[in-house]
Amino acid sequence: MNILIDKTTNKVAGVNSPANPFQISIDVPEDFTLGKTIQEVSEVQPEKQKTNDQGQLLYKGNVIVDAEGNETYDEVTEAKKATEWEERQVTNKWVDEEGVKHSETVTINAPIAWEELEPVMIPNIVNKYVTIKDRPEVFTAEEVLIKKCKGLTGAAGLQHVVADVFLNESDLDLTAPGHSANTGINMVQLLPQGQCVTKEITLAAAADTFTLLEFDAPDGVEIYLNEMLLALNEAVTTAAPTDKVRIKFVNTTDKLKMVRGYVIGH
């Protein structure tokens, strides 16, 4: 099974398809699964009425539309506002502390007509669980690589990984002695009998045992960790635990060789 990554966006562009020049292909096991919960606008109810921090529904008050048609408004909790009033006589009655009854008639403006206010609507964002096969476009290259590397280290009984499946010019120490490679964006091509080495890499945890879990390069290319030759699925041990490594690639042939990536567990 392969997963295509768009070089421009670093997002998944498809599954089980040939790569075009603008894509990178990542090989994963056939039973590879990847899922996550995303937030998106509900298909059933795309909008909902906005509420304030107290959960009260909000409406558009004092709406103003400018000459360009842009609308501004206040967010209010009243669903309607009065538009007409009439004078009314209201008598207030009360009893004071000595038990004497009092009354007073006042004139008030009482609302007699109202305008229904338009609700403030916002996108109705909901949680939705998706898989890479259903919605590949919402996944990133990093998510794919993390899941792939976890699968490789888990199967080997290891905890950490140092990996790069999209070797790039920026990953390399171009000033290293013996550097002999054509490099560019997502390209490392060893010249005949050539070599290159990565910049120093800081590990997630110090280790003294390393295992090459995957090496994406043609026959005739060797891979070294701190000058120790690695072989697929075989462990090597350093003289002492280290949290700094360099990875070197050596072309043992008289032909150009592309190096695309590696996964080393520790």
Side-chain angles (χ1 to χ4, degrees), residues 188-200:
V188 174
Q189 184 184 55
L190 298 173
L191 298 179
Q193 302 298 320
Q195 68 176 37
C196 64
V197 63
T198 66
K199 298 173 183 176
E200 188 174 70

Side-chain angles (χ1 to χ4, degrees), residues 80-99:
K80 58 184 180 179
K81 71 173 183 178
T83 57
E84 294 183 34
W85 295 262
E86 69 175 11
E87 290 187 353
R88 291 182 182 176
Q89 300 295 317
V90 177
T91 300
N92 297 319
K93 298 180 180 181
W94 72 96
V95 178
D96 63 22
E97 295 178 353
E98 298 178 354

Side-chain angles (χ1 to χ4, degrees), residues 75-187:
E75 294 181 347
V76 300
T77 56
E78 296 79 18
K80 58 184 180 179
K81 71 173 183 178
T83 57
E84 294 183 34
W85 295 262
E86 69 175 11
E87 290 187 353
R88 291 182 182 176
Q89 300 295 317
V90 177
T91 300
N92 297 319
K93 298 180 180 181
W94 72 96
V95 178
D96 63 22
E97 295 178 353
E98 298 178 354
V100 178
K101 295 180 180 181
H102 300 270
S103 66
E104 180 184 28
T105 299
V106 296
T107 301
I108 64 170
N109 286 323
I112 58 173
W114 289 264
E115 174 190 353
E116 298 291 334
L117 298 184
E118 183 181 349
V120 178
M121 302 301 291
I122 58 174
N124 184 21
I125 305 299
V126 296
N127 292 330
K128 184 176 182 180
Y129 184 81
V130 296
T131 69
I132 194 168
K133 291 183 178 179
D134 300 330
R135 296 280 301 278
E137 72 280 0
V138 304
F139 291 86
T140 65
E142 182 180 11
E143 290 169 331
V144 173
L145 295 177
I146 289 174
K147 181 63 183 290
K148 175 179 177 176
C149 290
K150 282 184 177 180
L152 290 171
T153 54
L158 302 170
Q159 293 183 322
H160 303 286
V161 66
V162 53
D164 191 340
V165 299
F166 299 140
L167 273 171
N168 204 319
E169 180 178 274
S170 62
D171 301 319
L172 304 179
D173 181 356
L174 303 181
T175 65
H179 177 81
S180 181
N182 297 321
T183 59
I185 299 176
N186 299 121
M187 186 191 79

Side-chain angles (χ1 to χ4, degrees), residues 190 215 218 220-224 229-230 248-252:
L190 298 173
F215 187 35
V221 179
E222 296 176 338
I223 180 172
Y224 293 78
L229 178 63
L230 302 178
K248 183 170 70 174
F249 311 99
V250 178
N251 183 0
T252 64

Side-chain angles (χ1 to χ4, degrees), residues 24-28 145 148 152 164-167 188 190 212-219 221-223 232 249 257-264:
I24 301 170
S25 180
I26 302 176
D27 291 326
V28 295
L145 295 177
K148 175 179 177 176
L152 290 171
D164 191 340
V165 299
F166 299 140
L167 273 171
V188 174
L190 298 173
L212 180 64
L213 302 176
E214 184 173 277
F215 187 35
D216 190 359
D219 292 340
V221 179
E222 296 176 338
I223 180 172
L232 196 62
F249 311 99
K257 296 286 184 177
M258 294 291 296
V259 183
R260 286 172 287 273
Y262 63 90
V263 178
I264 301 170

